[in-house]
Amino acid sequence: MSIRSAAWIVSVCVAGLAACNRGPATEDAAQAAPTPTSICEGLASLALPDAKITTASLVPRGGFVPPTSTPPPPGVTAQPSFADVPAFCRVAATLAPTPDSEIKIEVWMPAEAWNGKLVGTGNGGFSGAIGYNVLAPLVTRGYAAAATNTGHDGGPADTAFAVGHPEKLADFGWRAVHEMTVKAKAIVAAHYGTAASRSYWSGCSTGGRQGLKEAQVFPEDYDAIAAGAPANNWVPLVAYGALVQQTNIDANAALPREKLALLKEAAIKECDARDGVTDRVINEPKTCAFDPTKLQCQAGDGADCLTARQVESARKIYRGVVNPRTGTTLFSGPQPGSEPAWAGYQPGVFPIAANYWRDIVMKDPNWDLTTLDFDADLKRAYETETFGLAATEPNLARFVAHGGKLLLWHGMTDGLIPTQSSIDYYNDVITANGADKVKDAVRLFLLPGVDHCRGGEGTYAFDDVAALDAWVEQSRAPDQLTASRPLDGGAQRTRPLCPYPQVARYKGSGNSDDAASFECAAAASR
């Protein structure tokens, strides 16, 4: 019996249809091989706990049209073309693990040449949307892929869904991804007649936090997880976002985009060439003691300088979140070169942090961000953070014990989620589990000159799913990865990404746009 014949029978039998008890009158019909369409459409009757299948249809090559216009997730800069996506079985379902849950998921499965593996995909911000952008390329490569709206429909900074709905906030925090994963595995098994041989997770930002949450709480959901720029240290992170926005509310102290660009160019000018290569990338930002005071205007204001108050604003953001009572740093600030990204937290651009404080912590639609107290209000935030948004548990013993692999990565000029948060979490994992126990299971890669999830001056494009696949199948932790970025004229720059705390060091000769001219070596400092 072919896999597809078995899959058709499984899908029908799971639904409890009478066709599973064939008599003589149905024998002739049973001899007819099911078509790909009938196999897929048969999943409409698949019975799953707390779930309702809403769509089960075979999409022909190039035939997918997104039902809604949704913003691309972090790491995806534009809507892809679906014209070359091969035929796939598209299953959509709504999950209701609680009476107030309405978790939408989609599972896409190649009609031909499935590689036997499933990839779960992550979200960005509070975005309540299915990531069609990331499902399509995975299916094109032969993977089955799953995505969720995390239990609500809405934009990346929209927190209104959670007002008066604690279960929906819990769905967003952890439950939706786990439920999606369990149901996706069942749907894949029903469709193909066999379970996926491997399951991987790929996500950045919120998607990175979701991946860490899976490793920490549901360690057997995935064989390997790629967690990029994770928004995992939740309360300090939203305090940082509020700090940046708060700093820019005062018109006399605000840093407009042109001044942010000025800061970045000054930092690059001062620190770029220290690694022996002039490429607009600060290879080791921690060695760059850039002082914005150097840009202070001698008198008044100007396009090529910062006022004294703007200098202080920059210093405040670089410093990070500091408890005003104790002087303790609660969340480290961003690195030099990240400055243009700070504009993301400016009022009216991406007010995710302010919205969270207003709707979830303060529960006051008239709350004023300028009143945020970085001592008392943070205590209040920790007391109300009972919905699983944080993903900071360092004990990964269960995940490692079942063979799990964690690829943690972060751009070093990330101005939305500063890089130090991932370094801190990685160090916590080492301390909690022991370096020897996790040396082949957990790796951190820092991407010089790379902004939030992608973009920036550095090489930001690398295949995290392929890296996971090679790691799992070969049982060998990656010693380096190769990343690229386009250059003017159609050329490509490639560089090695090195496991922390190593950095890519120029060998002293060869094309500096070629990864072969670099090697992984000890960092100058940590």
Side-chain angles (χ1 to χ4, degrees):
M1 179 182 293
S2 71
I3 289 178
R4 295 200 173 280
S5 298
W8 179 77
I9 293 173
V10 169
S11 67
V12 173
C13 290
V14 171
L17 300 181
C20 293
N21 296 314
R22 292 185 177 84
T26 62
E27 288 298 323
D28 290 341
Q31 299 303 315
T35 66
T37 298
S38 67
I39 294 170
C40 184
E41 292 181 350
L43 294 173
S45 300
L46 182 63
L48 296 171
D50 303 319
K52 179 181 179 181
I53 305 292
T54 57
T55 297
S57 61
L58 184 70
V59 180
R61 173 178 286 273
F64 179 72
V65 178
T68 58
S69 177
T70 58
V76 179
T77 57
Q79 297 285 353
S81 169
F82 295 97
D84 296 324
V85 178
F88 65 93
C89 177
R90 178 190 176 207
V91 175
T94 300
L95 315 182
T98 78
D100 197 30
S101 296
E102 191 177 4
I103 302 167
K104 296 176 184 177
I105 70 168
E106 291 207 15
V107 183
W108 289 15
M109 298 166 285
E112 301 291 342
W114 177 46
N115 64 15
K117 300 165 186 177
L118 168 68
V119 179
T121 63
N123 302 76
F126 275 109
S127 181
I130 299 292
Y132 303 111
N133 319 70
V134 291
L135 293 175
L138 287 167
V139 167
T140 301
R141 294 169 56 184
Y143 293 94
T148 177
N149 75 339
T150 70
H152 70 282
D153 296 322
D158 182 12
T159 54
F161 75 93
V163 177
H165 296 278
E167 294 295 351
K168 289 188 182 299
L169 191 57
D171 286 339
F172 169 80
W174 60 272
R175 191 159 47 214
V177 167
H178 174 61
E179 289 289 329
M180 175 203 77
T181 303
V182 172
K183 302 304 190 289
K185 288 182 177 182
I187 291 168
V188 167
H191 179 60
Y192 292 113
T194 185
S197 62
R198 303 290 189 188
S199 57
Y200 304 138
W201 174 268
S202 173
C204 187
S205 195
T206 286
R209 179 191 65 81
Q210 291 167 325
L212 292 184
K213 197 73 174 182
E214 283 289 289
Q216 295 161 9
V217 181
F218 304 103
E220 295 187 358
D221 275 2
Y222 291 97
D223 297 299
I225 291 170
N232 64 313
N233 195 5
W234 185 254
V235 170
L237 172 60
V238 291
Y240 165 75
L243 170 71
V244 178
Q245 185 169 339
Q246 193 181 75
T247 302
N248 283 285
I249 287 176
D250 184 344
N252 294 319
L255 291 161
R257 290 179 184 273
E258 57 270 20
K259 296 297 182 76
L260 295 175
L262 192 66
L263 281 164
K264 174 181 175 178
E265 292 305 315
I268 289 175
K269 181 179 180 180
E270 181 166 331
C271 301
D272 173 15
R274 294 186 178 187
D275 62 345
V277 181
T278 302
D279 55 2
R280 294 184 55 78
V281 174
I282 301 174
N283 201 44
E284 296 182 68
K286 284 195 173 185
T287 68
C288 178
F290 171 65
D291 185 352
T293 304
K294 295 179 179 179
L295 292 176
Q296 186 166 326
C297 302
Q298 296 303 307
D301 193 2
D304 60 348
C305 61
L306 275 62
T307 67
R309 293 194 63 184
Q310 288 173 334
V311 167
E312 181 52 36
S313 291
R315 292 169 66 91
K316 187 176 182 179
I317 293 172
Y318 286 130
R319 191 180 306 127
V321 180
V322 177
N323 184 301
R325 180 176 55 84
T326 66
T328 303
T329 297
L330 305 176
F331 196 75
S332 298
Q335 302 283 7
S338 67
E339 297 81 4
W342 303 354
Y345 280 132
Q346 288 183 352
V349 180
F350 183 50
I352 182 173
N355 290 355
Y356 179 81
W357 286 101
R358 180 195 65 210
D359 292 338
I360 310 302
V361 181
M362 303 304 177
K363 297 181 173 62
D364 179 0
N366 300 312
W367 177 72
D368 185 351
L369 178 67
T370 62
T371 67
L372 181 65
D373 185 316
F374 289 91
D375 181 17
D377 289 340
L378 262 67
K379 291 180 181 178
R380 180 174 179 177
Y382 278 116
E383 291 170 357
T384 60
E385 211 296 274
T386 58
F387 306 102
L389 274 65
T392 53
E393 171 56 57
N395 187 345
L396 300 181
R398 291 190 299 155
F399 180 70
V400 174
H402 92 84
K405 312 297 183 187
L406 173 61
L407 174 62
L408 185 63
W409 63 272
H410 209 136
M412 296 180 77
T413 51
D414 191 336
L416 295 183
I417 304 178
T419 316
Q420 187 63 40
S421 64
S422 286
I423 298 174
D424 291 343
Y425 179 69
Y426 175 78
N427 287 333
D428 288 345
V429 168
I430 297 299
T431 300
N433 299 272
D436 288 343
K437 290 186 177 180
V438 298
K439 64 183 177 67
D440 295 324
V442 181
R443 290 284 166 98
L444 168 63
F445 288 82
L446 301 182
L447 284 58
V450 175
D451 294 344
H452 187 58
C453 294
R454 70 176 288 126
E457 306 291 345
T459 50
Y460 52 79
F462 76 103
D463 193 335
D464 61 341
V465 174
L468 295 181
D469 215 350
W471 193 353
V472 170
E473 297 293 351
Q474 299 173 17
S475 299
R476 186 173 65 242
D479 291 328
Q480 70 176 49
L481 304 171
T482 301
S484 66
R485 64 152 297 155
L487 299 174
D488 292 340
Q492 290 276 327
R493 170 179 293 161
T494 60
R495 291 281 171 83
L497 303 177
C498 303
Y500 180 83
Q502 293 183 327
V503 298
R505 188 82 65 201
Y506 183 55
K507 294 179 181 178
S509 62
N511 184 354
S512 63
D513 289 330
D514 186 347
S517 301
F518 294 78
E519 60 186 352
C520 290
S525 65
R526 298 186 189 181

PDB file of all heavy atoms in Angstrom, residues 194-207:
ATOM      1  N   THR A 194       2.083   8.425   8.409  1.00  0.00           N
ATOM      2  CA  THR A 194       3.262   8.200   9.236  1.00  0.00           C
ATOM      3  C   THR A 194       3.611   9.499   9.940  1.00  0.00           C
ATOM      4  O   THR A 194       3.366  10.587   9.404  1.00  0.00           O
ATOM      5  CB  THR A 194       4.461   7.723   8.378  1.00  0.00           C
ATOM      6  OG1 THR A 194       5.557   7.401   9.229  1.00  0.00           O
ATOM      7  CG2 THR A 194       4.906   8.785   7.392  1.00  0.00           C
ATOM      8  N   ALA A 195       4.171   9.391  11.116  1.00  0.00           N
ATOM      9  CA  ALA A 195       4.533  10.589  11.869  1.00  0.00           C
ATOM     10  C   ALA A 195       5.770  11.250  11.271  1.00  0.00           C
ATOM     11  O   ALA A 195       6.589  10.599  10.608  1.00  0.00           O
ATOM     12  CB  ALA A 195       4.800  10.230  13.328  1.00  0.00           C
ATOM     13  N   ALA A 196       5.907  12.537  11.504  1.00  0.00           N
ATOM     14  CA  ALA A 196       7.115  13.242  11.087  1.00  0.00           C
ATOM     15  C   ALA A 196       8.321  12.645  11.812  1.00  0.00           C
ATOM     16  O   ALA A 196       8.268  12.368  13.014  1.00  0.00           O
ATOM     17  CB  ALA A 196       7.001  14.728  11.397  1.00  0.00           C
ATOM     18  N   SER A 197       9.393  12.445  11.078  1.00  0.00           N
ATOM     19  CA  SER A 197      10.593  11.854  11.680  1.00  0.00           C
ATOM     20  C   SER A 197      11.342  12.857  12.544  1.00  0.00           C
ATOM     21  O   SER A 197      12.021  12.475  13.499  1.00  0.00           O
ATOM     22  CB  SER A 197      11.522  11.334  10.587  1.00  0.00           C
ATOM     23  OG  SER A 197      11.969  12.392   9.740  1.00  0.00           O
ATOM     24  N   ARG A 198      11.218  14.148  12.209  1.00  0.00           N
ATOM     25  CA  ARG A 198      11.869  15.218  12.964  1.00  0.00           C
ATOM     26  C   ARG A 198      10.918  16.407  13.063  1.00  0.00           C
ATOM     27  O   ARG A 198      10.109  16.645  12.157  1.00  0.00           O
ATOM     28  CB  ARG A 198      13.155  15.693  12.274  1.00  0.00           C
ATOM     29  CG  ARG A 198      14.187  14.615  12.017  1.00  0.00           C
ATOM     30  CD  ARG A 198      14.842  14.124  13.292  1.00  0.00           C
ATOM     31  NE  ARG A 198      15.977  13.246  13.007  1.00  0.00           N
ATOM     32  CZ  ARG A 198      16.630  12.565  13.927  1.00  0.00           C
ATOM     33  NH1 ARG A 198      16.284  12.659  15.205  1.00  0.00           N
ATOM     34  NH2 ARG A 198      17.656  11.799  13.596  1.00  0.00           N
ATOM     35  N   SER A 199      11.054  17.158  14.138  1.00  0.00           N
ATOM     36  CA  SER A 199      10.298  18.393  14.274  1.00  0.00           C
ATOM     37  C   SER A 199      11.249  19.503  14.705  1.00  0.00           C
ATOM     38  O   SER A 199      12.016  19.335  15.657  1.00  0.00           O
ATOM     39  CB  SER A 199       9.161  18.239  15.286  1.00  0.00           C
ATOM     40  OG  SER A 199       9.648  17.837  16.551  1.00  0.00           O
ATOM     41  N   TYR A 200      11.196  20.625  13.980  1.00  0.00           N
ATOM     42  CA  TYR A 200      12.073  21.760  14.246  1.00  0.00           C
ATOM     43  C   TYR A 200      11.237  23.013  14.493  1.00  0.00           C
ATOM     44  O   TYR A 200      10.101  23.118  14.035  1.00  0.00           O
ATOM     45  CB  TYR A 200      13.019  22.013  13.061  1.00  0.00           C
ATOM     46  CG  TYR A 200      13.867  20.842  12.663  1.00  0.00           C
ATOM     47  CD1 TYR A 200      14.078  20.529  11.320  1.00  0.00           C
ATOM     48  CD2 TYR A 200      14.479  20.031  13.614  1.00  0.00           C
ATOM     49  CE1 TYR A 200      14.872  19.458  10.932  1.00  0.00           C
ATOM     50  CE2 TYR A 200      15.274  18.952  13.239  1.00  0.00           C
ATOM     51  CZ  TYR A 200      15.465  18.665  11.894  1.00  0.00           C
ATOM     52  OH  TYR A 200      16.242  17.593  11.521  1.00  0.00           O
ATOM     53  N   TRP A 201      11.832  23.977  15.192  1.00  0.00           N
ATOM     54  CA  TRP A 201      11.197  25.276  15.415  1.00  0.00           C
ATOM     55  C   TRP A 201      12.096  26.369  14.864  1.00  0.00           C
ATOM     56  O   TRP A 201      13.313  26.340  15.064  1.00  0.00           O
ATOM     57  CB  TRP A 201      10.951  25.531  16.903  1.00  0.00           C
ATOM     58  CG  TRP A 201      10.438  26.920  17.156  1.00  0.00           C
ATOM     59  CD1 TRP A 201      11.170  28.039  17.446  1.00  0.00           C
ATOM     60  CD2 TRP A 201       9.071  27.343  17.091  1.00  0.00           C
ATOM     61  NE1 TRP A 201      10.341  29.135  17.572  1.00  0.00           N
ATOM     62  CE2 TRP A 201       9.049  28.732  17.352  1.00  0.00           C
ATOM     63  CE3 TRP A 201       7.874  26.675  16.839  1.00  0.00           C
ATOM     64  CZ2 TRP A 201       7.867  29.465  17.367  1.00  0.00           C
ATOM     65  CZ3 TRP A 201       6.694  27.411  16.857  1.00  0.00           C
ATOM     66  CH2 TRP A 201       6.693  28.777  17.117  1.00  0.00           C
ATOM     67  N   SER A 202      11.494  27.341  14.188  1.00  0.00           N
ATOM     68  CA  SER A 202      12.239  28.480  13.675  1.00  0.00           C
ATOM     69  C   SER A 202      11.456  29.751  13.954  1.00  0.00           C
ATOM     70  O   SER A 202      10.305  29.884  13.542  1.00  0.00           O
ATOM     71  CB  SER A 202      12.462  28.335  12.157  1.00  0.00           C
ATOM     72  OG  SER A 202      13.045  29.511  11.616  1.00  0.00           O
ATOM     73  N   GLY A 203      12.082  30.694  14.681  1.00  0.00           N
ATOM     74  CA  GLY A 203      11.401  31.946  14.971  1.00  0.00           C
ATOM     75  C   GLY A 203      12.366  32.993  15.470  1.00  0.00           C
ATOM     76  O   GLY A 203      13.452  32.686  15.986  1.00  0.00           O
ATOM     77  N   CYS A 204      11.980  34.268  15.319  1.00  0.00           N
ATOM     78  CA  CYS A 204      12.806  35.373  15.784  1.00  0.00           C
ATOM     79  C   CYS A 204      11.931  36.373  16.521  1.00  0.00           C
ATOM     80  O   CYS A 204      10.739  36.509  16.213  1.00  0.00           O
ATOM     81  CB  CYS A 204      13.500  36.050  14.592  1.00  0.00           C
ATOM     82  SG  CYS A 204      14.721  37.312  15.086  1.00  0.00           S
ATOM     83  N   SER A 205      12.502  37.065  17.502  1.00  0.00           N
ATOM     84  CA  SER A 205      11.787  38.058  18.308  1.00  0.00           C
ATOM     85  C   SER A 205      10.778  37.340  19.191  1.00  0.00           C
ATOM     86  O   SER A 205      11.169  36.513  20.024  1.00  0.00           O
ATOM     87  CB  SER A 205      11.126  39.097  17.404  1.00  0.00           C
ATOM     88  OG  SER A 205      10.733  40.231  18.144  1.00  0.00           O
ATOM     89  N   THR A 206       9.481  37.593  19.020  1.00  0.00           N
ATOM     90  CA  THR A 206       8.497  36.783  19.740  1.00  0.00           C
ATOM     91  C   THR A 206       8.675  35.307  19.377  1.00  0.00           C
ATOM     92  O   THR A 206       8.545  34.422  20.221  1.00  0.00           O
ATOM     93  CB  THR A 206       7.070  37.241  19.408  1.00  0.00           C
ATOM     94  OG1 THR A 206       6.817  38.487  20.087  1.00  0.00           O
ATOM     95  CG2 THR A 206       6.028  36.235  19.878  1.00  0.00           C
ATOM     96  N   GLY A 207       8.992  35.053  18.114  1.00  0.00           N
ATOM     97  CA  GLY A 207       9.239  33.671  17.695  1.00  0.00           C
ATOM     98  C   GLY A 207      10.407  33.044  18.416  1.00  0.00           C
ATOM     99  O   GLY A 207      10.415  31.837  18.689  1.00  0.00           O
TER     100      GLY A 207
END
